[in-house]
Amino acid sequence: MRILFVASEIFPLAKTGGLADVCASLPRELAAMGHDVRLVLPAYPGARAGLEAAGPQIPVQELPGVGCIPGRLPGTGLPVVLVEAARWFDRPGGPYGDTRGRDWPDNAERFHGFARASCAIAGDRAGLGWRPDLVHCHDWQTGLVPALLSLEGSRPATVFTVHNQSFLGRFDRAQFAALGLPAAWWSPEALEFYGDFSFLKAGLVFADQLTTVSPTYARELQTPEFGCGLDGLLRHRAADFTGILNGIDTEVWNPATDTYLRQCYDSATVAAGKRANKAAVQAELGLPAVGRIPLLVMISRLVEQKGVDLVAELIERWSDRALQWALLGSGELQWERRLEALAAAWPERVAVRIGYDEGLAHRLEAGGDLFLMPSRFEPCGLNQMYSQRYGTVPVVRSTGGLADSVVDVFAAGSGAAGTGLVFDAPEAEALATALERGLPLYRNRAAWHALQRNAMAADFGWRRSAEAYLEVYRRALAAAGGGHG
Ligand code: ADP
């Protein structure tokens, strides 16, 4: 199958979260299974700099000032096309906002332009000499792609994946008019969304098949509590909507070969490996070098979704306990400040690093004992899976992909299969109770070791998920062939 991935983030060229990881790992797995997969990404400055074997820029005739730069994705060799448009993508800051985290005011125009260019590529009108059978789009930034393709006479099948429903890509009517989209799309049956319009909704309405990144999140999105105003639409499209748990990149996240670590290890050497890596990360972060004290780690975007407030509250409440906390993240200023204040108040127990640091993320996974992920909602989540592979016991709320990938060690019937600690209420108290149950295990070396080994044995590779996506692709091809031919 010829498959075109269209995304606003692809690791390692551009990344703000798990979306980037999925858009690199899934194509690689599909390519390994024999499919012809290519990727499209905006030409942010970092992406241009990182692209391997970049060819000369090819102008896209139907879009003045827009060009394509073909090249390869570092580390995978997958063909990538960067959509170059200096006015939209050549600026400092992140993919969606400036260096202070404020959204770019022209995001509707930027990602509409990106979608138009992606459609030109999908229709082989960008001089690349290749035409996909299917276009797989990801999150609101690409929501207009299935919509715009639906206007074309002969088009590829389309699949739209929701990685985070809370990012609606919502803009007002003036912006709708400025983009020159078909007037008929200003309707509740199409893009209109409570007096505005939503790029995400465009994807959900027009794609042949829809997916999201875990079975539990797929069910949650069909409820008013999680659906962000689109639960009715998703219930309506339930027959075309599948939850597929993300895999992880088991080469990048492998404690046996991880070059970021002081000492590599596997499940047979996890105790010694953890000791060495814990000492190293304590030294790196300026925490006292104590071996037998639980080190609780968190690596996260610092936003309400991730339950940072629960962790902050618990650190305060438990400031007199013999625990160490190491937190890495960046995001909203209020949470960055709050965490920094905790580190300033208890420097012996709390280390905080604000920023994005891939290497430290690996070292924390390797050196930590428990990984905290008390998310209010979590479409899939990756760190709880990385943690299991690194023998770092995840402590998670029972929501979305967390519920689908962590088995509570105390859950009735889980027996020897437990891989972490799971709690329900989005409250510091519930997180505290889960830890109160789990920490005694930490003091029992044999029990802890057994738990680590269970976690490390869990299979989070991409093969099974990639097969599930292929099934969805086949359904999309059948739908497109039947409906739009
Ligand atoms: P989300 O996509 O909602 O941010 P995921 O758990 O799916 O959450 O993916 C988060 C990814 O980003 C993981 O690979 C995680 O390690 C990484 N990450 C998040 N914050 C940081 C940070 N400050 N430094 C390094 N890696 C981070």
Side-chain angles (χ1 to χ4, degrees):
M1 208 182 289
R2 287 185 303 272
I3 305 158
L4 183 68
F5 268 67
V6 182
S8 59
E9 301 180 23
I10 301 174
F11 181 83
L13 296 177
K15 170 166 167 171
T16 72
L19 168 67
D21 295 317
V22 175
C23 291
S25 315
L26 174 58
R28 192 170 67 180
E29 191 68 32
L30 291 166
M33 294 164 85
H35 299 283
D36 180 359
V37 191
R38 307 197 181 185
L39 314 164
V40 187
L41 176 78
Y44 314 115
R48 285 191 74 153
L51 190 71
E52 270 175 10
Q57 182 170 324
I58 308 166
V60 180
Q61 297 303 344
E62 66 197 47
L63 298 168
V66 178
C68 288
I69 310 172
R72 305 238 159 221
L73 188 68
T76 67
L78 287 171
V80 186
V81 180
L82 297 185
V83 171
E84 160 66 9
R87 64 187 182 283
W88 294 325
F89 303 123
D90 189 11
R91 42 177 93 165
Y96 320 122
D98 63 19
T99 46
R100 292 172 58 189
R102 288 172 305 201
D103 281 352
W104 300 115
D106 57 350
N107 272 345
E109 183 190 329
R110 295 171 76 230
F111 288 103
H112 170 253
F114 178 59
R116 296 266 314 264
S118 301
C119 291
I121 292 166
D124 195 18
R125 301 189 300 276
L128 298 166
W130 184 83
R131 202 187 178 98
D133 303 309
L134 180 136
V135 181
H136 189 168
C137 305
H138 301 266
D139 269 356
W140 76 262
Q141 295 85 357
T142 64
L144 289 181
V145 175
L148 292 168
L149 284 175
S150 77
L151 302 172
E152 299 192 8
S154 154
R155 64 163 183 95
T158 52
V159 173
F160 184 71
T161 295
V162 177
H163 296 259
N164 192 329
Q165 179 93 341
S166 74
F167 300 122
L168 291 163
R170 181 173 183 166
F171 302 98
D172 64 20
R173 185 157 197 164
Q175 307 216 51
F176 181 86
L179 298 183
L181 297 171
W185 284 359
W186 190 269
S187 135
E189 274 70 52
L191 275 57
E192 196 265 338
F193 181 74
Y194 300 99
D196 292 323
F197 78 108
S198 157
F199 277 45
L200 184 83
K201 188 178 177 190
L204 297 180
V205 169
F206 283 99
D208 295 311
Q209 285 285 312
L210 309 176
T211 76
T212 191
V213 290
S214 68
T216 296
Y217 194 54
R219 285 191 296 276
E220 289 171 343
L221 286 182
Q222 295 174 56
T223 67
E225 188 189 347
F226 291 92
C228 306
L230 292 166
D231 46 292
L233 170 57
L234 285 172
R235 285 194 300 277
H236 176 68
R237 293 216 60 190
D240 304 323
F241 184 36
T242 313
I244 302 173
L245 193 70
N246 288 333
I248 61 173
D249 187 322
T250 51
E251 282 173 32
V252 172
W253 292 94
N254 181 357
T257 56
D258 190 331
T259 52
Y260 286 117
L261 307 192
R262 163 75 58 87
Q263 187 175 316
C264 290
Y265 60 93
D266 57 24
S267 64
T269 56
V270 58
K274 282 252 162 222
R275 250 194 319 277
N277 288 300
K278 186 169 179 176
V281 84
Q282 285 168 327
E284 178 176 355
L285 298 176
L287 288 168
V290 188
R292 288 299 296 166
I293 187 173
L295 175 60
L296 294 88
V297 305
M298 181 171 189
I299 304 163
S300 183
R301 287 186 297 116
L302 299 178
V303 294
E304 201 197 346
Q305 177 204 333
K306 300 290 182 177
V308 213
D309 51 325
L310 275 59
V311 174
E313 196 182 322
L314 192 61
I315 292 175
E316 276 167 2
R317 211 197 276 191
W318 281 4
S319 62
D320 56 344
R321 298 213 186 182
L323 298 170
Q324 289 185 344
W325 310 77
L327 316 173
L328 166 64
S330 64
E332 291 168 11
L333 205 57
Q334 56 163 330
W335 302 117
E336 297 187 356
R337 295 249 163 91
R338 174 107 187 255
L339 296 188
E340 282 175 330
L342 294 171
W346 295 289
E348 301 275 288
R349 301 208 200 289
V350 186
V352 170
R353 291 292 178 274
I354 300 299
Y356 194 91
D357 187 335
E358 193 76 24
L360 182 55
H362 285 246
R363 292 190 291 278
L364 284 171
E365 286 287 10
D369 296 304
L370 296 117
F371 191 94
L372 306 176
M373 217 158 159
S375 307
R376 288 196 162 69
F377 68 92
E378 193 58 78
C380 176
L382 295 170
N383 271 305
Q384 81 282 9
M385 296 191 272
Y386 301 156
S387 298
Q388 290 175 61
R389 221 166 136 71
Y390 281 65
T392 309
V393 174
V395 186
V396 305
R397 251 204 87 217
S398 178
T399 184
L402 300 176
D404 294 333
S405 60
V406 180
V407 180
D408 187 88
V409 68
F410 295 109
S414 76
T419 58
L421 299 162
V422 183
F423 65 98
D424 278 325
E427 292 156 10
E429 184 61 37
L431 172 60
T433 306
L435 286 169
E436 298 273 21
R437 285 189 299 134
L439 286 170
L441 285 182
Y442 175 80
R443 289 178 214 113
N444 172 343
R445 280 177 200 244
W448 193 253
H449 199 189
L451 176 53
Q452 287 178 312
R453 274 199 311 257
N454 279 345
M456 293 179 87
D459 173 12
F460 295 120
W462 265 105
R463 183 51 62 102
R464 214 173 5 191
S465 305
E467 279 163 1
Y469 274 106
L470 283 168
E471 208 33 61
V472 170
Y473 292 171
R474 286 186 199 106
R475 287 205 290 276
L477 286 168
H484 307 271

